[in-house]
Amino acid sequence: MQRIAVIGAAAVGDYIFRLDRLPEKGEIVRLDPGEPDRLIPGGCAPNIAAGLQSLGKISPTLYYPVGEDLKKLGIQAVWDETGIRQHLTVVKGEPSGRAWMYMQPDGTTMCFSMLGAAGTANPPAEEIEEDWVVVAPLFNAFTRAYLEQAIRQKKRITLTGIGDGQILPYLDQVDNLILNRCEAAALSAAAGCGGEQALSRQYAGLTMFVTYGSQGSALYRSGWRTAIPAVQAERLVDFTGAGDAYTSGVLSALAAGAGVEEAACFGAANASFVLQNFGGLTGMPAWGDLEARLKKQFPQRTAAEKGGILS
């Protein structure tokens, strides 16, 4: 089985709160406290690694900076249970990163992050053993060093969830870019482009996936846009980790030999399962679950895709 390095530097978990709507500047809104002291295991890179492991098409190793408190927080046990390999950089004297998520009913979220170890870790000077590399937020000294190493080693590279203009000099050496609409808008503005299609034309060798929540997603190649329909969840419980699940679905499908359009459909299907559960590391489906949901919701589309991994 092919192997992929999942590289990130952010939270190891989230405190998740729900509210009727996000506040305007200076406004006070009522907060549903839920379980404010419960740290829900999460973080973009850990979510992606766990999703890849669950789908079973490519074997992930998580590269991540953490504090010495990882075991005490209960996160280490959760990561061990997923079965993913872990290549951790432990930063002494710093807590593991975590985030406070405030979410309104449609999934629009306000996030406050405490980076801790993720903000101070220096990556070891080493080669990356895996052939595939995915770098997830945030883009800082840790993730930048690994991205530059992956480029030197000519790895197959995906960037996800990073709308920071600092990645622009690297995009002509990256295979895939996966963003939500806000990240895509920020990156387009940083590049001085008139939007996602213009950004895609500027980086013609890049395949770009952009997600739009309930409106589905889109695939961009050399300025050409292909709309990808949303896959419906059986119920909506929590939006945390849906973008990470889209990423792990896309990469798993590509590893299985899918074309990019078909891979985007698998990304959408994987995200639909994560929406049905609380937190980004719970209720992750197996590959067969994605196939079954896609065939059920899009029977004509999947029947027409001769030679694809759904046919």
Side-chain angles (χ1 to χ4, degrees):
M1 182 181 292
Q2 299 179 83
R3 296 189 298 160
I4 183 168
V6 184
I7 298 165
V12 302
D14 307 309
Y15 298 103
I16 301 174
F17 301 85
R18 294 173 177 167
L19 34 72
D20 293 335
R21 60 183 177 83
L22 295 173
E24 300 292 335
K25 186 176 181 180
E27 184 183 13
I28 297 174
V29 299
R30 185 179 64 83
L31 180 70
D32 176 5
E35 299 180 69
D37 296 326
R38 183 185 174 202
L39 183 65
I40 309 298
C44 293
N47 289 345
I48 292 168
L52 293 167
Q53 181 71 17
S54 179
L55 294 174
K57 295 299 180 181
I58 190 167
S59 179
T61 300
L62 176 64
Y63 288 67
Y64 217 64
V66 299
E68 295 176 293
D69 58 355
L70 191 69
K71 186 174 182 179
K72 182 179 179 181
L73 291 171
I75 302 297
Q76 183 72 69
V78 174
W79 288 359
D80 290 343
E81 288 170 7
T82 65
I84 59 174
R85 289 190 301 274
Q86 299 157 44
H87 188 98
L88 304 180
T89 299
V90 179
V91 181
K92 294 183 179 180
E94 290 278 7
S96 297
R98 60 204 75 178
W100 286 258
M101 312 282 287
Y102 298 87
M103 186 179 301
Q104 64 184 33
D106 67 354
T108 304
T109 302
M110 182 179 293
C111 176
F112 297 85
S113 176
M114 187 278 292
L115 289 178
T120 60
N122 292 312
E126 60 183 357
E127 292 195 345
I128 300 169
E129 294 183 0
E130 295 77 13
D131 292 322
W132 293 46
V133 172
V134 54
V135 179
L138 296 168
F139 194 62
N140 58 16
F142 187 90
T143 52
R144 181 198 299 272
Y146 272 117
L147 173 59
E148 291 176 351
Q149 180 62 33
I151 290 171
R152 285 192 294 270
Q153 293 182 246
K154 303 186 184 303
K155 302 295 185 180
R156 188 169 180 179
I157 302 170
T158 296
L159 302 183
T160 181
I162 307 174
D164 191 330
Q166 293 183 81
I167 68 172
L168 291 172
Y170 303 98
L171 289 185
D172 59 356
Q173 301 173 84
V174 167
D175 298 283
N176 305 301
L177 180 63
I178 304 175
L179 305 171
N180 64 33
R181 71 175 81 196
C182 295
E183 294 155 352
L187 191 62
S188 297
C193 294
E196 297 149 5
Q197 285 186 282
L199 182 66
S200 176
R201 284 193 293 270
Q202 187 168 322
Y203 296 94
L206 180 71
T207 299
M208 185 166 68
F209 303 80
V210 181
T211 61
Y212 304 102
S214 62
Q215 298 176 351
S217 59
L219 173 67
Y220 294 88
R221 290 166 293 179
S222 301
W224 292 94
R225 184 182 192 274
T226 303
I228 305 297
V231 177
Q232 300 303 312
E234 293 180 352
R235 58 189 181 278
L236 291 178
V237 175
D238 178 32
F239 294 85
T240 307
D244 305 326
Y246 185 94
T247 295
S248 58
V250 166
L251 292 175
S252 293
L254 292 175
V260 289
E261 185 174 345
E262 193 176 8
C265 294
F266 274 93
N270 201 37
S272 75
F273 281 93
V274 170
L275 294 172
Q276 298 173 178
N277 298 277
F278 192 69
L281 274 168
T282 55
M284 290 188 169
W287 182 257
D289 298 322
L290 305 191
E291 292 180 314
R293 181 162 288 184
L294 286 171
K295 288 179 178 179
K296 181 178 180 180
Q297 293 193 25
F298 306 105
Q300 294 179 330
R301 182 187 184 105
T302 53
E305 289 176 347
K306 301 297 184 182
I309 57 178
L310 269 174
S311 59

